[in-house]
Amino acid sequence: MSDDYRSIARERMKGFCRVCPVCDGRACAGEVPGMGGLTTGASFRNNVTALADVTLNMTVLHEVKSPDTSTKLLGMEFKVPALAAPIGGVSFNMTKEHVSEDAYIEAVLSGCVAVGTVGCTGDGVPPFIIDAATKALQAHRGIPFIKPWEGKELYEKLDRVMECQPLAVGMDVDAAGLVTLRKMGRPVTPMSTTELAQVIDYVHKKGQRFIVKGIMMPQDAEKSVAAGADGIVVSNHGGRILDHCPGTASVLPRIAAAVRGRLTVFVDGGVRTGVDVLKMLALGADAVLIGRPVSVAAIGGLAEGVSAYFNSITQQLSQAMLLTGCSRISDISPEVLYSA
Ligand SMILES: Cc1cc2nc3c(=O)[nH]c(=O)nc-3n(C[C@H](O)[C@H](O)[C@H](O)COP(=O)(O)O)c2cc1C
């Protein structure tokens, strides 16, 4: 199945994504809109190389026989600590005609739920992105991420998605750097802690959780805690907003050391395999989000492709836990990381 959906995706994504053997941001540097990283693509590539630079302590003389990859996040049981990242704008980022925005996000959310995880939905200037997200969220559990719009539009969009009773609501505050929004005449700006706290308070008053996405510094993580966030996503938006950021695996340990235990720490950027999931957890995350490979799976194989992808992540994570002596997710600690 997995090779089938990748070759179908390669056809369907022509002109947007080459579906490379390893999705590392080299071939698509500068392709935003599209699936690449901004300008030189360094931030996207740094995500992948920072993870590749992390090596593991392999151990085989122990009692662990069948590791359990399940974990509890945001009050829900997950079969694997890996979620689909919010990605929107199919027609200008992925494929012109083969898969609609509606079909895409329906495939991501339903494909995730089928294998015991959850997908996130994106947002953007064209209303069809939030329209598709809302439709899919009415049918399946997910986490919508809304852009930090100004004034009334923000609260209207929050209300729309909160009516679907999602697992949590998120905001990609780092969208302040998005060229796609600027090109469409709707740039957004960074947020003060006071502004963020007001939004979080609004969401909490409706009984829902709030996640801040786009954290690359311990200071911003601390500000998210101060504003009342329930979770953060350590992320540079897949390298799409500021060139020459470090990889998220490089900044994660300091951020996690600052705030872990006070909110849920998610991370994304360059996670491609179950081994990468193990590395991110050992570096301090509670769970990961996976972006582009899930898009490829959805464009090539719809819900079945997404489920197959997450099943392979689960199987690879289980194997990696077996060979690092971890029987439970809570056993994954910095001790599994090799240091010379
Ligand atoms: C085509 C594309 C569209 C994206 N759209 C959104 C979005 O609407 N909202 C958001 O929070 N992040 C968006 N992202 C960023 C992803 O959620 C995620 O941070 C990133 O893709 C993770 O890196 P990875 O693709 O290397 O796994 C987008 C990324 C891509 C590639």
Side-chain angles (χ1 to χ4, degrees):
M1 173 65 205
S2 95
D3 285 344
D4 287 356
Y5 80 64
R6 285 175 60 81
S7 50
I8 297 169
R10 196 169 291 117
E11 278 304 307
R12 292 183 172 172
M13 297 180 89
K14 255 190 191 139
F16 293 91
C17 173
R18 295 154 189 84
V19 189
C20 301
V22 177
C23 172
D24 60 7
R26 280 189 295 164
C28 55
E31 296 179 8
V32 184
M35 295 299 278
L38 193 73
T39 321
T40 71
S43 301
F44 180 175
R45 288 195 304 279
N46 288 345
N47 284 340
V48 176
T49 52
L51 259 174
D53 286 346
V54 176
T55 51
L56 299 170
N57 289 324
M58 188 179 93
T59 167
V60 287
L61 301 179
H62 54 69
E63 307 302 314
V64 180
K65 303 282 181 211
S66 70
D68 177 4
T69 61
S70 69
T71 189
K72 206 166 182 184
L73 299 164
L74 307 169
M76 180 185 148
E77 200 64 39
F78 279 69
K79 284 210 178 121
V80 64
L83 291 74
I87 291 198
V90 174
S91 59
F92 53 89
N93 286 317
M94 293 177 218
T95 182
K96 271 269 171 282
E97 60 205 15
H98 297 285
V99 178
S100 68
E101 194 81 31
D102 283 12
Y104 171 80
I105 201 64
E106 164 66 26
V108 171
L109 294 200
S110 64
C112 282
V113 167
V115 291
T117 184
V118 156
C120 303
T121 64
D123 182 23
V125 174
F128 58 74
I129 302 179
I130 191 79
D131 290 347
T134 312
K135 253 184 258 170
L137 286 162
Q138 277 158 358
H140 312 283
R141 186 167 285 237
I143 305 179
F145 279 80
I146 302 297
K147 299 253 172 311
W149 307 113
E150 273 168 26
K152 212 168 90 200
E153 181 177 5
L154 171 63
Y155 290 92
E156 278 170 7
K157 281 194 165 173
L158 285 173
D159 285 345
R160 268 189 84 181
V161 294
M162 282 194 289
E163 272 170 27
C164 307
Q165 296 299 318
L167 185 60
V169 181
M171 182 176 284
D172 46 327
V173 181
D174 58 2
L178 267 182
V179 285
T180 43
L181 299 188
R182 208 174 318 129
K183 279 186 178 164
M184 292 178 192
R186 296 291 313 283
V188 295
T189 58
M191 272 180 131
S192 71
T193 316
T194 314
E195 286 167 321
L196 181 64
Q198 277 164 4
V199 176
I200 296 178
D201 194 43
Y202 183 79
V203 170
H204 282 172
K205 283 202 171 115
K206 307 240 165 172
Q208 304 203 6
R209 297 184 180 87
F210 193 90
I211 300 172
V212 184
K213 181 167 180 276
I215 301 300
M216 288 293 286
M217 306 269 292
Q219 294 93 306
D220 281 5
E222 288 284 5
K223 287 178 184 172
S224 302
V225 173
D230 303 285
I232 54 168
V233 186
V234 176
S235 175
N236 58 25
H237 216 102
R240 290 167 73 81
I241 47 167
L242 177 65
D243 205 3
H244 297 288
C245 285
T248 52
S250 304
V251 299
L252 172 61
R254 259 186 255 158
I255 295 174
V259 299
R260 198 170 179 192
R262 293 193 278 162
L263 39 60
T264 306
V265 178
F266 297 93
V267 63
D268 72 17
V271 177
R272 303 292 176 253
T273 65
V275 173
D276 291 338
V277 178
L278 179 102
K279 289 179 182 180
M280 287 298 204
L281 266 49
L283 292 168
D286 294 302
V288 305
L289 311 186
I290 304 178
R292 294 168 179 94
V294 178
S295 298
V296 168
I299 297 292
L302 295 173
E304 217 184 303
V306 172
S307 293
Y309 181 71
F310 277 103
N311 276 338
S312 71
I313 290 287
T314 308
Q315 195 267 325
Q316 292 160 358
L317 174 61
S318 168
Q319 184 73 359
M321 289 170 69
L322 189 72
L323 294 170
T324 51
C326 301
S327 66
R328 273 171 252 95
I329 291 296
S330 55
D331 294 339
I332 302 173
S333 75
E335 280 174 34
V336 308
L337 303 177
Y338 173 74
S339 56

